[in-house]
């Protein structure tokens, strides 16, 4: 009989919103969304170790490692659902900027769910994991699925799409973040002139049409999120040859879509400035996954 796992290490990719539309208000006041989401090659590194207690550590990060952390909430949700009287020591080495709209916290939560499922042999299905993830945060189900997806509702209605056309992303994170609740509150006050055609973007992805994907891109939260540099960063990326540029999620990160590596890297060099974080990324075809397990 094989010994039980004692430790698992995972990678969990960040995400970009290739499009984001607000299409209504659901019961309870939540916003109904229509989005195309893409996992990218920037990863949170999450390690889980069996423990009698629930402990979370974030070495080198300013994120608070308390009960409000999404990874902590994911662990609680997993133990409550499975009924396991157990614990876990969670160590997260963060790479994704905070308040960027890149889903770092959701990636952490997804990694915890995948890791605990393996660590304790719970054998929960992806459907069960996504339902648990949805109870933790709107972007967690996508972080579990990864790849390229059309995401609707509260983030709980997910349709896997073919891989997006081959491209590169240059992502610029200014020296400040944006609060997601504040961005949606502002949307409720002022609305948005931008409503991307997510169905057209899905069709472009299915056709392998990068210009069509870029033509249909847009983010309904851009105007109201209040990012002081959003418009200028988008224009700078376009000036550097991006085929499309927009803010991801509720901000503050802005990205350009390039059809080759060289112009993407040139744009990264051109936009480098004190206080900014810049990443040159590829599409990733997966979600949170185990890269090492120890017995």
């Amino acid at each position: 009989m094989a010994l039980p796992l004692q430790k698992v290490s995972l990678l969990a990719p960040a995400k970009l919103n290739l499009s984001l539309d607000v299409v209504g208000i659901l019961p309870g006041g939540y916003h109904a969304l229509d989005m195309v989401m893409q996992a990218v090659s920037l990863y949170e590194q999450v390690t889980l170790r069996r423990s009698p207690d629930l402990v979370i550590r974030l070495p080198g990060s300013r994120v608070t490692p308390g009960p409000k952390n999404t990874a902590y909430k994911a662990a609680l949700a997993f133990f409550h659902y499975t009924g396991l009287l157990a614990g876990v020591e969670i160590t997260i080495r963060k790479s994704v900027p905070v308040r960027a709209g890149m889903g770092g916290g959701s990636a952490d939560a997804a990694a915890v769910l995948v890791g605990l499922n393996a660590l304790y042999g719970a054998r929960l299905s992806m459907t069960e994991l996504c339902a648990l993830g949805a109870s933790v945060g709107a972007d967690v189900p996508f972080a579990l699925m990864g790849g390229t997806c059309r995401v609707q509702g509260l983030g709980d209605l997910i349709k896997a799409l073919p891989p997006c056309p081959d491209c590169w992303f240059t992502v610029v994170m200014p020296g400040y973040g944006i609060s997601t609740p504040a961005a949606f509150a502002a949307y409720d006050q002022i609305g948005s002139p931008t409503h991307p055609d997510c169905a057209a973007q899905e069709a472009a992805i299915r056709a392998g049409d990068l210009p069509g994907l870029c033509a249909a891109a847009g983010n309904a939260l851009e105007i109201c999120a209040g990012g002081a540099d959003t418009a200028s960063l988008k224009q700078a990326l376009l000036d550097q040859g991006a085929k499309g540029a927009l803010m991801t999620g509720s901000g503050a990160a802005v990205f350009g879509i390039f059809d080759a590596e060289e112009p993407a890297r040139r744009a990264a060099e051109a936009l480098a400035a004190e206080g900014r974080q810049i990443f040159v990324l590829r599409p990733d075809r997966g979600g949170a996954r185990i890269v090492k397990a120890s017995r």
Side-chain angles (χ1 to χ4, degrees):
M1 184 176 176
L3 293 171
L5 291 178
Q6 297 297 318
K7 177 182 172 184
V8 292
S9 300
L10 304 98
L11 288 180
K15 61 87 175 172
L16 296 174
N17 289 87
L18 302 179
S19 56
L20 186 158
D21 196 10
V22 181
V23 295
I25 302 294
L26 297 169
Y30 295 103
H31 295 82
L33 303 176
D34 192 359
M35 306 179 283
V36 176
M37 298 173 74
Q38 176 63 54
V40 291
S41 58
L42 178 65
Y43 306 98
E44 300 282 75
Q45 299 178 55
V46 182
T47 302
L48 307 183
R49 191 188 301 269
R50 283 181 183 247
S51 168
D53 304 308
L54 178 49
V55 180
I56 181 168
R57 296 188 174 91
L58 294 114
S61 173
R62 292 178 294 173
V63 176
T64 304
K68 291 185 178 180
N69 185 279
T70 52
Y72 193 100
K73 290 179 181 178
L76 286 180
F78 176 87
F79 289 128
H80 178 75
Y81 181 77
T82 59
L84 286 166
L85 298 176
V88 64
E89 178 186 299
I90 304 167
T91 303
I92 302 172
R93 298 192 181 278
K94 294 195 68 64
S95 301
V96 181
V98 178
R99 289 189 168 190
M102 296 182 71
S106 298
D108 297 337
V112 167
L113 292 173
V114 171
L116 286 174
N117 198 33
L119 196 64
Y120 286 106
R123 298 185 179 180
L124 301 186
S125 67
M126 179 58 79
T127 300
E128 289 175 292
L129 291 174
C130 284
L132 279 177
S135 73
V136 175
D139 288 341
V140 180
F142 171 76
L144 286 158
M145 294 278 291
T148 311
C149 293
R150 178 92 175 265
V151 182
Q152 295 173 288
L154 285 170
D156 54 338
L157 305 174
I158 300 182
K159 175 168 54 176
L161 301 179
C164 81
D166 191 42
C167 62
W168 293 76
F169 303 108
T170 299
V171 184
V172 185
M173 177 64 183
Y176 56 85
I178 291 176
S179 159
T180 297
F184 277 103
Y187 179 90
D188 290 338
Q189 291 292 318
I190 64 176
S192 173
T194 302
H195 291 282
D197 190 339
C198 298
Q201 192 170 64
E202 176 183 337
I205 289 168
R206 292 188 182 279
D209 176 7
L210 185 62
L213 180 158
C214 294
N219 187 331
L221 295 179
E222 263 185 24
I223 298 297
C224 48
D229 303 297
T230 300
S232 61
L233 288 175
K234 283 175 59 183
Q235 188 59 53
L237 286 161
L238 292 170
D239 290 345
Q240 289 296 320
K243 305 305 179 185
L246 67 158
M247 185 182 82
T248 179
S250 56
V254 174
F255 67 97
I257 305 171
F258 293 84
D259 58 7
E261 179 179 8
E262 187 178 344
R265 295 203 180 278
R266 278 203 309 267
E269 292 173 10
L271 272 67
E274 187 175 353
R276 290 179 182 170
Q277 292 173 274
I278 299 186
F279 309 92
V280 178
L281 306 174
R282 299 299 313 274
D284 187 290
R285 295 191 178 191
R289 65 259 196 183
I290 294 169
V291 292
K292 187 177 181 181
S294 308
R295 298 189 186 279

